[in-house]
Amino acid sequence: MRVYGTEITSRLLLGTAQYPSPAVLAAAVKSSGTEIITVSLRRETADGSGAGFWDSLRETGCRILPNTAGCHSVQEAVTTARMARELFDTPWIKLEVIGHSDTLQPDVFGLVEAARVLSSEGFQVFPYTTDDLVAGEKLLEAGCEVLMPWGAPIGSGQGLRTPDGLRAMRAHFPDVPLIVDAGIGRPSDAAQAMELGMDAVLLNTAVAKAGDPAGMARAMALAVEAGRLGYEADPMERRDMAVPSTPVLGLAEFA
């Protein structure tokens, strides 16, 4: 997979929030085999322990994808992105503009506007969006080269609520990297996303809140790999009726 000219081997991206300790986070990151971890500017600076947290992230050896988590306006998201670029020294930004407080659904109108501003300033934007095809087109026109449709509300663990919508996105944007972001709760959810043709999965809560985060991280990595291999193998179509796997010709006949 290539995003903004960078080749990525692992198709699992991992968030860094809500882990019980930096040691547990480090173990989960290692177990997942991920190459990209996301981090919120708010998490980095809010409690005064940002320097230590940042050091632990660098020790993972992963590429940092800062995000604008918790931003509810274009101005707030753009300002946060600018600060993140200075702090993390990267043009990459996972862009979130939240439009609904309960569902944390993206505000696609504000998202497009913010993406246009940031792209013009040299940012390489990873937009957290819905499976709306028109919104996707507008984001690409704004300068995005990747789309991150949600599977379900952030942290809900509901899995893929609209698999048909994601399937339509894959068909509509055959050459655009698509990364399912949010809602993944179990390895089967991750495998399903990859079987639909998604290029990668980004998740956080499902691993951070598991009884064994490192074990769940490994399970998610295997599910993503299995789902991708299944998609590339061109699986059989579903049928309404049974089709015998054993030939009916040549069966014994009894008089």
Side-chain angles (χ1 to χ4, degrees):
M1 179 176 69
R2 295 185 67 84
V3 288
Y4 290 107
T6 299
E7 185 173 332
I8 306 300
T9 302
S10 173
R11 295 178 182 269
L12 174 62
L13 287 66
L14 203 62
T16 57
Q18 306 184 68
Y19 288 86
S21 72
V24 173
L25 167 60
V29 170
K30 181 178 180 181
S31 182
S32 73
T34 187
E35 299 170 52
I36 300 174
I37 54 177
T38 66
V39 60
S40 167
L41 181 66
R42 297 168 188 266
R43 172 64 182 85
E44 169 68 15
T45 59
D47 60 3
S49 62
F53 182 64
W54 177 222
D55 288 340
S56 68
L57 294 181
R58 284 188 294 189
E59 290 173 0
T60 66
C62 295
R63 181 154 186 164
I64 303 296
L65 174 60
N67 66 45
T68 63
C71 293
H72 289 258
S73 71
V74 173
Q75 181 177 2
E76 187 180 12
V78 169
T79 300
T80 301
R82 290 167 178 164
M83 294 171 64
R85 179 163 62 179
E86 293 298 319
L87 179 62
F88 298 109
D89 190 28
T90 176
W92 280 16
I93 191 73
K94 179 192 167 190
L95 181 61
E96 297 183 23
V97 181
I98 302 302
H100 193 277
S101 298
D102 292 332
T103 65
L104 302 182
Q105 179 172 332
D107 172 4
V108 295
F109 303 100
L111 185 66
V112 170
E113 183 179 348
R116 184 174 292 110
V117 171
L118 293 175
S119 294
S120 70
E121 296 181 5
F123 282 89
Q124 296 173 338
V125 179
F126 294 67
Y128 167 60
T129 183
T130 65
D131 57 12
D132 185 277
L133 300 182
V134 176
E137 289 178 345
K138 297 297 183 183
L139 287 166
L140 296 178
E141 291 172 3
C144 300
E145 296 182 11
V146 58
L147 298 174
M148 303 182 74
W150 68 342
I154 294 173
S156 69
Q158 294 179 14
L160 307 184
R161 293 208 303 184
T162 57
D164 287 341
L166 295 174
R167 188 179 291 107
M169 285 196 79
R170 179 72 289 164
H172 194 71
F173 303 111
D175 301 319
V176 177
L178 300 179
I179 303 174
V180 169
D181 178 15
I184 299 296
R186 290 170 172 76
S188 56
D189 301 330
Q192 182 187 17
M194 299 305 293
E195 287 176 352
L196 291 174
M198 301 296 104
D199 294 281
V201 167
L202 170 58
L203 54 89
N204 185 169
T205 309
V207 170
K209 292 299 185 180
D212 176 7
M216 182 59 73
R218 178 59 176 159
M220 289 293 187
L222 292 173
V224 166
E225 181 179 0
R228 182 65 186 185
L229 288 173
Y231 172 73
E232 292 176 341
D234 190 18
M236 63 175 287
E237 296 293 331
R238 292 186 176 184
R239 300 166 174 150
D240 293 330
M241 300 294 292
V243 177
S245 57
T246 301
V248 295
L249 294 178
L251 293 179
E253 294 185 8
F254 298 92

